[in-house]
């Protein structure tokens, strides 16, 4: 089975992520969306919430699985019999770091990284921009799936 992992924080998942996930699902037998649990990183949503939001938003794809992991992506790959990582590239600014990371992952574990160029509609989009805009009343309805929009509004309304 040809399986690829799409790793990230997904705090929360955006339409940019979903575009990459759905396109990867057309190329691979299975796409595993791996949500990073990093105890030293402050997130708006817990890892369980982030997993649930992605599961809801990807339920129409029967070859997309959502899981969580802590530690190195290459260890997750080894444990799940995955030989490649897929990453979305938005702009040149993503490139330097992603290339270093890809080379490190190949050097350490022989895991390949494939880069998919972003859909130009979402080239500017990141989870942090969505959170910043939503926090101050911005309209992010075209940028995230409906379930995320709903959870974002209720989370930000909490005291
Ligand atoms: P991280 O915690 O590594 O910054 P994110 O959750 O923000 O990860 O993103 C996970 C992956 O999705 C990264 O490879 C990132 O480049 C990609 N990505 C994020 N936003 C977009 C977008 N708008 N278009 C394409 N790819 C994206």
């Amino acid at each position: 089975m040809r399986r690829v992992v799409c790793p990230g924080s997904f705090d929360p998942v955006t339409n940019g992520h979903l575009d990459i996930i759905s396109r990867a699902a057309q190329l691979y037998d299975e796409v595993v969306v791996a949500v990073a649990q990093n105890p030293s990183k402050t997130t708006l949503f817990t890892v369980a919430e982030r997993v649930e939001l992605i599961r809801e938003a990807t339920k129409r794809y029967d070859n997309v699985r959502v899981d969580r992991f802590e530690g190195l992506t290459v260890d997750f790959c080894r444990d799940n019999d995955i030989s490649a990582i897929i990453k979305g590239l938005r702009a040149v600014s993503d490139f330097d770091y992603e290339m270093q990371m890809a080379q490190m992952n190949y050097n350490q574990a022989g895991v390949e990284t494939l880069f998919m160029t972003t859909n130009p509609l979402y080239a500017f989009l990141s989870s942090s921009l969505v959170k910043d805009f939503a926090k101050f009343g911005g309209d992010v309805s075209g940028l995230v799936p409906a379930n995320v929009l709903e959870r974002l509004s209720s989370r930000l309304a909490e005291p």
Side-chain angles (χ1 to χ4, degrees):
M1 182 186 271
R2 290 181 337 137
R3 198 180 276 134
V4 72
V5 65
C6 185
S9 310
F10 304 102
D11 186 42
V13 67
T14 68
N15 288 344
H17 295 129
L18 292 171
D19 179 68
I20 299 289
I21 294 165
S22 63
R23 286 158 63 201
Q26 290 175 30
L27 299 174
Y28 278 86
D29 297 320
E30 186 175 56
V31 177
V32 183
V33 182
V35 182
Q37 177 171 23
N38 181 349
S40 60
K41 211 166 167 178
T42 308
T43 54
L44 182 62
F45 295 102
T46 65
V47 68
E49 289 170 327
R50 287 178 272 146
V51 166
E52 191 195 342
L53 288 170
I54 304 169
R55 282 205 179 121
E56 288 165 2
T58 59
K59 60 172 182 267
R60 65 180 172 282
Y61 307 113
D62 48 11
N63 62 337
V64 173
R65 180 161 71 80
V66 190
D67 205 346
R68 59 203 268 179
F69 75 107
E70 210 176 329
L72 298 177
T73 307
V74 289
D75 288 339
F76 180 84
C77 289
R78 187 199 53 227
D79 296 345
N80 288 274
D81 194 22
I82 297 172
S83 55
I85 298 170
I86 195 153
K87 288 279 190 146
L89 271 191
R90 285 165 288 195
V92 182
S93 49
D94 280 343
F95 186 75
D96 269 351
Y97 178 74
E98 292 294 352
M99 194 171 74
Q100 276 186 323
M101 181 63 90
Q103 289 172 339
M104 184 72 166
N105 286 338
Y106 187 79
N107 173 281
Q108 295 282 301
V111 174
E112 296 283 4
T113 299
L114 302 159
F115 293 111
M116 190 175 260
T117 51
T118 183
N119 179 329
L121 279 176
Y122 306 124
F124 61 92
L125 187 53
S126 69
S127 300
S128 30
L129 262 186
V130 163
K131 285 182 284 191
D132 285 348
F133 269 70
K135 201 182 301 174
F136 295 106
D139 178 8
V140 295
S141 55
L143 308 177
V144 293
N147 65 325
V148 169
L149 189 64
E150 196 183 309
R151 288 287 272 281
L152 205 48
S153 323
S154 50
R155 178 58 44 90
L156 293 172
E158 284 169 15

